[in-house]
Amino acid sequence: MLAEEYSNINSTPFLSNQEGKTISFIYECLKKSCMPFKKASNQPNLKLPLNENKYTQIFVEQVEVFVKSHPNIGVKNQYSDTFYGTKGVPDFYFHKVEEGVHNEPLMVWEAKMLSTSLGKKREKEYVIGEKNNGGIERFKTEKHGKGQSKCGILGFVENENFKHWNTTINKWINDLTSTNTDWKKDEVLSNIETNIDFCILTSIAHRKSDDISLTHLWVSIN
């Protein structure tokens, strides 16, 4: 999408008639950021190893490059909930830029490592974890994303391939359905786009009062 498409958007609320374009624009920015992120995170002057937080910081910097072409959207690291008071702090969020107004986020994102070397306690953390810290789990319990219908999870694939992680995560979810009534079989991830550098999947997370649509963007870091 071109910045010119948004040249007529001013400081008045626009999501009622622009929401579809806005969300599509955000997805495009995320996709376009994957290759620059890989380049930036492999700079020879970086102190290795990088962890989840450092990868996220680099990724958000690259997303910001593309988001700047929209006059009314920003992206920031970490969101503290000022509207519902939830305690979770998602890793990054998109927001409307409007002078004199503090708006609810357009979309919040959690970031997780996808690695076979995380250890037993953290191996299923993309889905479920200790103290309600699993990636998908946080959105199911509204620790993240309360009041929103669309959010996302960014996965940094350290080893194995996208197909491996799609199969593995769906098995974890299916296994949960036999022991935990909060999890349903229709919450598995569906792959919608894959190339060498990134993979996009979608899923639904059932919450107590409604459902939330999750977009999963996985980026290979090797």
Side-chain angles (χ1 to χ4, degrees), residues 4-209:
E4 288 80 5
E5 293 183 44
Y6 301 95
S7 60
N8 63 343
I9 297 174
N10 55 33
S11 62
T12 58
F14 61 92
L15 290 183
S16 60
N17 59 1
Q18 292 281 352
E19 183 175 6
K21 283 187 177 182
T22 301
I23 297 302
S24 295
F25 175 80
I26 289 172
Y27 289 151
E28 285 301 311
C29 291
L30 287 162
K31 288 167 61 176
K32 289 176 181 177
S33 302
C34 292
M35 287 190 67
F37 159 76
K38 291 189 70 173
K39 181 179 179 181
S41 61
N42 281 286
Q43 288 178 196
N45 61 336
L46 298 183
K47 179 68 173 178
L48 301 178
L50 300 177
N51 60 20
E52 181 182 290
N53 290 337
K54 292 174 181 178
Y55 279 123
T56 303
Q57 178 174 290
I58 295 169
F59 188 86
V60 172
E61 286 181 357
Q62 298 307 309
V63 175
E64 187 176 20
V65 173
F66 297 100
V67 167
K68 281 183 176 180
S69 67
H70 193 305
N72 295 100
I73 295 178
V75 60
K76 299 284 191 305
N77 278 296
Q78 300 192 330
Y79 173 68
S80 295
D81 188 354
T82 49
F83 291 92
Y84 298 94
T86 55
K87 301 301 182 183
V89 180
D91 290 305
F92 64 102
Y93 68 104
F94 296 88
H95 62 96
K96 183 181 176 186
V97 177
E98 186 175 3
E99 183 178 347
V101 180
H102 175 56
N103 293 289
E104 290 190 43
L106 298 168
M107 184 183 291
V108 303
W109 281 68
E110 178 69 4
K112 290 293 181 186
M113 296 295 295
L114 287 169
S115 173
T116 57
S117 60
L118 289 179
K120 276 290 183 183
K121 285 187 176 181
R122 295 186 58 204
E123 67 176 352
K124 299 180 180 179
E125 199 173 75
Y126 192 93
V127 177
I128 194 167
E130 294 184 336
K131 298 180 180 180
N132 189 26
N133 278 329
I136 297 174
E137 180 181 31
R138 293 182 186 196
F139 290 102
K140 281 180 65 64
T141 60
E142 294 186 297
K143 186 175 184 177
H144 293 346
K146 186 175 177 65
Q148 297 185 289
S149 60
K150 295 182 178 69
C151 289
I153 304 179
L154 175 64
F156 298 116
V157 178
E158 184 177 65
N159 50 35
E160 301 295 346
N161 56 31
F162 299 135
K163 183 177 180 181
H164 166 87
W165 288 111
N166 192 2
T167 301
T168 300
I169 287 170
N170 284 351
K171 182 180 185 305
W172 291 341
I173 293 171
N174 278 318
D175 289 346
L176 280 169
T177 64
S178 62
T179 59
N180 188 328
T181 56
D182 291 333
W183 291 82
K184 309 299 179 185
K185 290 186 178 295
D186 64 354
E187 292 179 294
V188 295
L189 281 56
S190 300
N191 188 329
I192 61 172
E193 183 179 350
T194 301
N195 63 32
I196 294 174
D197 296 308
F198 67 84
C199 177
I200 300 175
L201 310 94
T202 60
S203 71
I204 295 293
H206 298 300
R207 302 185 290 197
K208 286 185 177 180
S209 59

